[in-house]
């Protein structure tokens, strides 16, 4: 079989990796800051919810990382990658890897390994460019999972608390800005990584990345705000709303016959995570052009968002929300529709040879495993 041609690892890829790590650390730091503020103010309940989300997100990410480490060890070329043009933090030391993942440090170790390999390839001109692309893609996928398991729910929670108390501290505004930026940036980071990872696909440039970031920001922010507004008036129903939609999304992912993981347990973990991501943002999981599925998804989310806003408007406190209610009712749908328009124009301007943005992600693992099984000669 002819080897696939991967995009060469460049300083831009290295910069995105470093920026991604910095964004992750800033977002994590702001979460700790907010949690500390809640604790110091005596809001033990919200402190517990924030910490719970952080722990849950970390456990999910470590599970994905451990599954992938187990899959990689079974590859014929795994040992060759360790001794050839690649460098891996754990190597074949299973017990050490297990210990790090149990201690919730597997994700951090992958960060170190990816940046270390990227630096070797970019600065020292060492072998292993394809493996650096592979590590970067794995890392970007884990960051995306972490983002929607932790940052998106926490962002919704922060806005909800502000609405409920009708007051906001500076730390909350900082956390909301950091979380919103982090979510949109991680989506762009994953998309850039996917484009670099897929063979013979044009890499995403800076201008394209900026537009991609902008329309994701315009779509995600109103969705999160609508959920928070709904929760502020019917807090007892937001859990049921999430569970019902999550169940539908998981079934939809199953119906699309995803094959991202190498084991049944791992695949259901992936589908469950996709259901969570879809609750906030669109994420392609099937091979080929997914225009039809994207239209179905955005039609559903747009309708759901309209219902959430209408419910909030009907049940809100007219006096307490007088200063911002009408502005939100007009601004949020406008921003979301603007994001849809920008997304439509983005893909309409794409040439057929750049059809990668419409491609799913479950085929990526197969490609990267083939690449690792045939490592570059030293």
């Amino acid at each position: 079989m002819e080897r696939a041609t991967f995009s060469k690892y460049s300083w831009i890829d290295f910069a995105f990796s470093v920026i991604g790590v910095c964004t992750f650390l800033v977002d994590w730091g702001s979460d700790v800051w907010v949690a500390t503020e809640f604790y110091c103010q005596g809001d033990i309940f919200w402190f517990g919810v924030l910490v719970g989300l952080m722990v849950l997100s970390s456990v999910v990410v470590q599970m994905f990382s451990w599954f992938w480490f187990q899959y990689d060890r079974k590859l014929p070329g795994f040992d060759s990658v360790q001794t050839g043009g690649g460098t891996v933090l754990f190597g074949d030391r299973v017990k050490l890897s297990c210990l790090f993942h149990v201690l919730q440090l597997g994700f951090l170790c992958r960060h170190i390994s990816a940046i270390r390999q990227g630096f070797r390839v970019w600065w020292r001109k060492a072998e292993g460019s394809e493996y650096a692309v592979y590590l970067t893609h794995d890392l970007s996928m884990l960051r995306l999972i972490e983002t929607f398991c932790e940052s998106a729910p926490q962002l919704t929670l922060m806005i909800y608390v502000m609405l409920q108390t009708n007051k906001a501290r500076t730390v909350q505004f900082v956390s909301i800005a950091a979380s919103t930026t982090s979510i949109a940036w991680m989506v762009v980071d994953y998309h850039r990584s996917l484009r670099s990872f897929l063979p013979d696909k044009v890499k995403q440039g800076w201008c394209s990345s900026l537009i991609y970031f902008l329309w994701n920001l315009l779509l995600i922010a109103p969705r999160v705000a609508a959920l928070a507004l709904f929760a502020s008036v019917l807090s007892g129903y937001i859990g049921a709303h999430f569970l019902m939609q999550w169940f539908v999304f998981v079934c939809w992912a199953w119906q699309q016959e995803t094959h991202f993981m190498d084991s049944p347990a791992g695949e259901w973990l992936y589908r469950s995570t996709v259901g969570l991501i879809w609750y906030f943002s669109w994420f392609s999981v099937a091979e080929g052009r997914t225009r039809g599925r994207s239209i179905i998804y955005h039609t559903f989310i747009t309708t759901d968002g309209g219902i959430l806003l209408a419910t909030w408007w009907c049940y809100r406190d007219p006096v307490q929300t007088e200063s911002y209610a009408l502005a939100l009712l007009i601004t949020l749908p406008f921003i979301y529709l603007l994001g849809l328009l920008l997304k439509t124009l983005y893909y309409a301007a794409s040439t057929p040879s750049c059809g990668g943005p419409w491609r799913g992600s479950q085929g990526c693992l197969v490609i990267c495993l083939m690449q690792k099984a045939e490592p570059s000669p030293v």
Side-chain angles (χ1 to χ4, degrees), residues 248-268:
V248 171
F249 288 147
V250 171
C251 292
W252 195 26
W254 171 63
Q255 186 271 336
Q256 295 183 40
E257 300 180 350
T258 61
H259 299 288
F260 190 78
M261 308 290 277
D262 282 3
S263 66
E267 192 61 38
W268 279 109

Side-chain angles (χ1 to χ4, degrees), residues 156 160 163-164 223-242 244 279 304-305 307-313 315:
T156 307
Y160 166 77
L163 293 170
Q164 282 290 90
R223 172 63 177 175
V224 172
L227 291 170
L229 289 171
F230 175 79
S232 69
V233 294
L234 293 176
S235 57
Y237 291 89
I238 188 64
H241 179 269
F242 165 74
M244 287 189 296
Y279 189 67
D304 181 65
I307 294 175
L308 293 176
L309 284 178
T311 303
W312 167 73
W313 180 265
Y315 287 92

Side-chain angles (χ1 to χ4, degrees), residues 132-143:
V133 172
Y134 166 77
L135 288 176
T136 302
H137 179 70
D138 262 6
L139 193 58
S140 66
M141 183 64 184
L142 290 174
R143 284 199 297 260

